[in-house]
Amino acid sequence: MQRALDFDKTPALGVPLPFFLNVPLFALLAGLLATWAGSQAFASRWNGAALALTHLWTLGILGSAMLGALLQILAVACNVRVDAIRTVAGLTHALLTAGTLLLAAGFLGWWPVAWVGAAALLGPAFALYLAAVAWALWQHRRQVYKGAREILVPVRGALAALACTVLIGLVLALSLGLGSAPPDWIDGHVLWGLAGWGGLLLMGMSFQLLPIFQVTELYPRPIARWLPLLIPGLLLAWTALEASTGLPRLMRETAELLLVGAYALWAGVTLRLLWTRKRPTPEPTTLFWYAGMISLLACAPLWIWMTHGQSPRAGLVLGVVMIAGVLGSVVNGMLYKIVPFLLWKHAQDAMIVPDHDPAQARVYLKVLPKMATYIGDRPARWQWAAHVAVIICWSLAAAGWAPAVLAAGPLQIVSAAGLAWNIGRALRLYRRTLRAMAALPHHAPAAQTRGPLRAGGRE
């Protein structure tokens, strides 16, 4: 397994950053909506407010972050660069953002025209992205870095699952918008989206990023090799059993149980690796990974409660834990690694450090802040605490506890505001750094000349 990243292949800052900026924006919208809707947001998974909240999370928060991160990780970890990446990223971001807002509005007002409009925006967004990434994977299949298979196998599975999720979602949206009865594909839409697209992508990234950034041991080879193959197979088996008539329900539940067990195994191994990491002090990203993996382990008893219990709220609680607890935690934590690194790296690329005058070189290097200063450890930990409170509160609200329903929206606003403040502070520092570099004597843009301090160099 490759443990190095080629940061010279990093795309332009304008490629992933707009996707990442969507995360605090849509998180804030989710908090405002939960505050405004109150108990209606957690009354039922079929309630309009609950459906709007769900898609603000899955498309606006999680989808934006994962689409942007994938463009980054394919380039630096796999040597797979998407053609016309600025155009693909810009169009996808614009269509995804507008489509998500329109879809949420459609659920809130139960407007058929909004569902059709959202499908007309989201369909091309995902089609463009999937086509561009699939072509890049095929085009660069012989140039991928040695040892990148552990990333590419789950990434291919995640992209296939995303295509299934989008197709099912488009059929459901168009059916509702055109007034026809939608097919009974809701469970498939949820399972392919969360366990397929979201779960497989995070699994693939963990194989590469945890050993590098958390200084853990490598994942055991059987885990890295077989789990990314097993999970799509179980999803296909579940889909076939769901579509078949006359088969016992136990067969479908067995496929679900094996799927839950596969992810619980990954969560357990990940927690062990994090616990035995070589870096003693946990970073905020480490804490978010802990929260995500503990939430994933909690999904096993919640699945048993949903499958064999009598409470109609079990599925709603499980959905909250999977979306906000598992995927939301890991995505939030990854931003605290990716965003500071991207800003530091692009600030570094914008400067030429003169090697003929050591004293002047030290002056130049002093202008560059260290990566750790872009987002402080303490503010990130405070936001982590707020996010954990959101997971607990939203889970209790989904279970029907009235005090948690009242606190769910405000807590989400606090967490989103903390994330927005931390990312905004990093962006302000980046802009101040560029202005300070422009004021240095004899400064030349890095695009014109190559100096000794190159991309991926020292801090």
Side-chain angles (χ1 to χ4, degrees):
M1 184 185 299
Q2 179 179 317
R3 297 193 61 163
L5 301 178
D6 187 358
F7 295 128
D8 284 334
K9 299 292 195 304
T10 299
L13 185 59
V15 171
L17 188 60
F19 288 100
F20 298 151
L21 295 181
N22 268 12
V23 176
L25 169 64
F26 279 98
L28 183 60
L29 290 176
L32 292 172
L33 176 56
T35 302
W36 173 77
S39 61
Q40 291 300 309
F42 302 96
S44 166
R45 60 183 291 197
W46 310 117
N47 183 277
L51 289 170
L53 270 177
T54 299
H55 288 86
L56 287 177
W57 268 95
T58 54
L59 290 174
I61 300 173
L62 304 178
S64 296
M66 291 190 293
L67 292 178
L70 184 56
L71 294 176
Q72 176 78 16
I73 200 69
L74 284 176
V76 301
C78 306
N79 196 29
V80 174
R81 184 171 176 84
V82 176
D83 290 338
I85 190 169
R86 288 175 179 267
T87 302
V88 170
L91 287 175
T92 301
H93 172 264
L95 292 171
L96 174 68
T97 303
T100 303
L101 293 172
L102 192 56
L103 184 64
F107 283 124
L108 283 176
W110 218 251
W111 297 325
V113 66
W115 292 324
V116 175
L121 293 172
L122 294 173
F126 286 109
L128 173 64
Y129 186 93
L130 287 168
V133 173
W135 172 247
L137 288 170
W138 173 259
Q139 187 180 26
H140 299 284
R141 67 192 184 281
R142 301 187 189 280
Q143 289 81 39
V144 296
Y145 294 133
K146 184 180 179 181
R149 179 183 181 275
E150 286 81 1
I151 308 169
L152 290 179
V153 171
V155 163
R156 291 189 185 106
L159 290 171
L162 175 61
C164 294
T165 306
V166 171
L167 285 174
I168 296 172
L170 290 176
V171 170
L172 294 173
L174 290 174
S175 299
L176 288 170
L178 299 176
S180 58
D184 188 16
W185 295 350
I186 301 293
D187 290 342
H189 180 61
V190 172
L191 199 63
W192 279 99
L194 298 182
W197 157 238
L200 280 172
L201 186 60
L202 293 190
M203 182 180 291
M205 290 188 175
S206 72
F207 294 159
Q208 179 75 15
L209 299 182
L210 287 190
I212 294 176
F213 292 118
Q214 298 301 318
V215 198
T216 71
E217 296 295 330
L218 296 176
Y219 277 82
R221 186 169 295 275
I223 297 292
R225 181 174 184 180
W226 295 111
L227 275 188
L229 297 174
L230 175 63
I231 289 171
L234 291 172
L235 287 170
L236 288 171
W238 182 91
T239 303
L241 293 169
E242 177 75 5
S244 303
T245 57
L247 293 177
R249 180 183 174 186
L250 180 61
M251 296 179 67
R252 190 191 69 178
E253 291 181 359
T254 301
E256 293 177 1
L257 178 61
L258 292 173
L259 190 61
V260 170
Y263 274 111
L265 176 61
W266 172 57
V269 171
T270 302
L271 286 172
R272 182 184 66 81
L273 292 175
L274 289 171
W275 187 256
T276 59
R277 70 192 182 278
K278 297 176 183 178
R279 181 171 291 165
T281 304
E283 302 172 332
T285 302
T286 314
L287 299 177
F288 277 103
W289 271 98
Y290 273 128
M293 295 302 101
I294 292 172
S295 297
L296 186 52
L297 288 178
C299 289
L302 289 174
W303 174 82
I304 296 173
W305 180 33
M306 181 186 72
T307 306
H308 301 287
Q310 300 299 320
S311 174
R313 289 187 169 272
L316 191 60
V317 177
L318 178 60
V320 166
V321 174
M322 290 179 68
I323 294 172
V326 181
L327 299 173
S329 296
V330 176
V331 160
N332 201 323
M334 287 171 61
L335 290 181
Y336 284 126
K337 274 293 182 185
I338 297 176
V339 171
F341 167 76
L342 287 177
L343 297 178
W344 167 79
K345 195 263 180 195
H346 285 284
Q348 186 188 60
D349 285 353
M351 173 179 281
I352 292 297
V353 179
D355 53 359
H356 59 277
D357 185 348
Q360 191 179 18
R362 286 193 294 270
V363 173
Y364 273 56
L365 287 172
K366 283 182 180 179
V367 175
L368 284 173
K370 291 185 177 181
M371 189 169 22
T373 62
Y374 277 91
I375 296 180
D377 188 77
R378 179 173 293 182
R381 287 175 179 270
W382 277 108
Q383 198 264 321
W384 167 79
H387 177 75
V388 171
V390 167
I391 299 171
I392 296 171
C393 185
W394 280 49
S395 300
L396 294 173
W401 193 42
V405 172
L406 295 176
L411 276 177
Q412 175 65 19
I413 292 173
V414 170
S415 176
L419 180 61
W421 173 264
N422 291 337
I423 293 179
R425 180 181 180 277
L427 289 173
R428 290 193 297 271
L429 178 57
Y430 172 72
R431 289 170 181 162
R432 287 200 304 268
T433 302
L434 293 184
R435 289 196 295 268
M437 287 192 298
L440 290 173
H442 312 299
H443 175 68
Q448 298 176 6
T449 316
R450 275 293 186 187
L453 189 63
R454 299 186 58 186
R458 62 190 183 278
E459 287 188 19

